[in-house]
Amino acid sequence: MTIALGSLLGAGLLLLASPFLWPGRNASTSGPGRVGGAFRANLVQAGLGALPLPAFAAISLVMGLAGFALAEALLGIEALSIVAGLGGLALPLLVVSWRARARRLANRTVWPDVVDHLVSAVRSGLALPDSVSSLAEAGPLSTRAAFAEFAADYRSTGNFAHAVDRLKESLADPVADRILETLRMAREVGGSDLTVVLRSLAAWLRQDAAVRAEVEARQSWVVNAARLGVAAPWLILLLLGSRPEAASAYNTTGGVAVIIGGLGMSIVAYRVMVALGRLPEERRWFR
């Protein structure tokens, strides 16, 4: 039984790591695949853009094996050890998603200020590339590093479109994509309405951020209830599993079925509650 469960855990870990270790051949040659590109964007938003995907997969594997070994040593319940291994395997992904979402929420109030700085720079007579480069010093602190990279790219290549593409990859934010595509169009097409468009965009961004903040504050209890509802049964199971008679009961076929069924129900219930209690994230349409 132990050998079978261990083999099942190893096969699951290998399948979870396979998209990162062996990417599909039909992926686009101009960039990462759809799943890999979305995950890379999450890494960038979480401040881990320099971390290679194989290294992240290796960290996840180590965390999964450590969780499996720790649960097996403390409790001796094979099914619960597999659940702990899967939890350790998913922990880095959950941390990255949490950090990325936290930074998106923090930046939501920053982009209107970025647009205001751009409007001031354009109205003062600076060229459009110089206006964007000035954000490396005058912009919000959380975005200065990315705009400093833009300034360096533009000085070295003189290609505004290429520097904008690199900046979009560094920021990996749908609102930033919208702002930068507006600047690209103004650069390529020209016109005298850029400041009017930017002011309207800044006003809309402030209104959207205020509405989202109010709705998320009212729905936060749903997300917190989902987290509590998922964590409570597993905490009770850990307390029960510390007793030898409970451990022997959960090592039976019926005990394994109860744990695996509870894991599936917990995942489905949590995802449904989060989907009901969280606003949908904006998608990056301009990549």
Side-chain angles (χ1 to χ4, degrees):
M1 185 66 179
T2 303
I3 297 176
L5 292 175
S7 301
L8 182 62
L9 174 63
L13 296 178
L14 183 61
L15 289 175
L16 288 173
S18 60
F20 307 108
L21 299 178
W22 304 289
R25 295 182 180 180
N26 58 348
S28 175
T29 57
S30 61
R34 184 175 180 180
V35 176
F39 183 70
R40 171 58 64 184
N42 273 343
L43 282 177
V44 172
Q45 291 173 350
L48 303 172
L51 182 65
L53 294 183
F56 181 85
I59 293 173
S60 299
L61 287 174
V62 170
M63 293 294 295
L65 293 174
F68 176 83
L70 183 62
E72 184 68 22
L74 294 179
L75 302 175
I77 304 176
E78 285 81 1
L80 195 57
S81 300
I82 292 178
V83 173
L86 294 176
L89 183 69
L91 182 61
L93 180 61
L94 295 177
V95 171
V96 168
S97 299
W98 175 78
R99 283 177 56 91
R101 186 171 183 275
R103 292 191 65 175
R104 284 196 298 268
L105 291 177
N107 287 338
R108 189 173 295 161
T109 59
V110 165
W111 296 122
D113 296 333
V114 170
V115 176
D116 289 341
H117 285 296
L118 283 172
V119 171
S120 299
V122 171
R123 288 174 63 89
S124 66
L126 288 177
L128 195 54
D130 295 331
S131 300
V132 180
S133 300
S134 66
L135 294 173
E137 299 178 356
L141 293 177
S142 59
T143 61
R144 288 186 180 182
F147 285 106
E149 293 179 3
F150 167 85
D153 287 338
Y154 184 73
R155 284 197 302 267
S156 61
T157 63
N159 190 330
F160 182 77
H162 173 73
V164 165
D165 290 335
R166 292 285 302 274
L167 180 58
K168 287 167 59 177
E169 293 178 5
S170 299
L171 294 172
D173 189 277
V175 179
D177 291 346
R178 197 177 310 159
I179 296 171
L180 294 175
E181 287 299 327
T182 302
L183 298 179
R184 188 204 300 271
M185 184 177 297
R187 172 78 171 180
E188 295 177 355
V189 178
S192 58
D193 295 333
L194 177 60
T195 56
V196 177
V197 173
L198 291 178
R199 287 186 183 277
S200 300
L201 180 58
W204 183 86
L205 291 175
R206 286 191 172 92
Q207 182 180 5
D208 179 70
V211 171
R212 278 181 169 269
E214 182 178 357
V215 174
E216 287 175 351
R218 293 182 178 181
Q219 291 184 333
S220 60
W221 67 271
V222 179
V223 179
N224 293 331
R227 292 169 180 168
L228 180 61
V230 169
W234 294 100
L235 292 177
I236 296 174
L237 181 60
L238 289 177
L239 294 176
L240 292 176
S242 62
R243 302 179 61 87
E245 58 272 19
S248 61
Y250 282 117
N251 278 326
T252 62
T253 304
V256 172
V258 168
I259 293 177
I260 299 301
L263 176 63
M265 293 180 63
S266 297
I267 293 175
V268 172
Y270 179 74
R271 296 306 303 172
V272 170
M273 289 290 286
V274 169
L276 293 175
R278 181 177 293 174
L279 291 177
E281 297 288 344
E282 293 185 79
R283 297 178 61 185
R284 296 186 63 196
W285 297 103
F286 303 102
R287 290 193 179 185

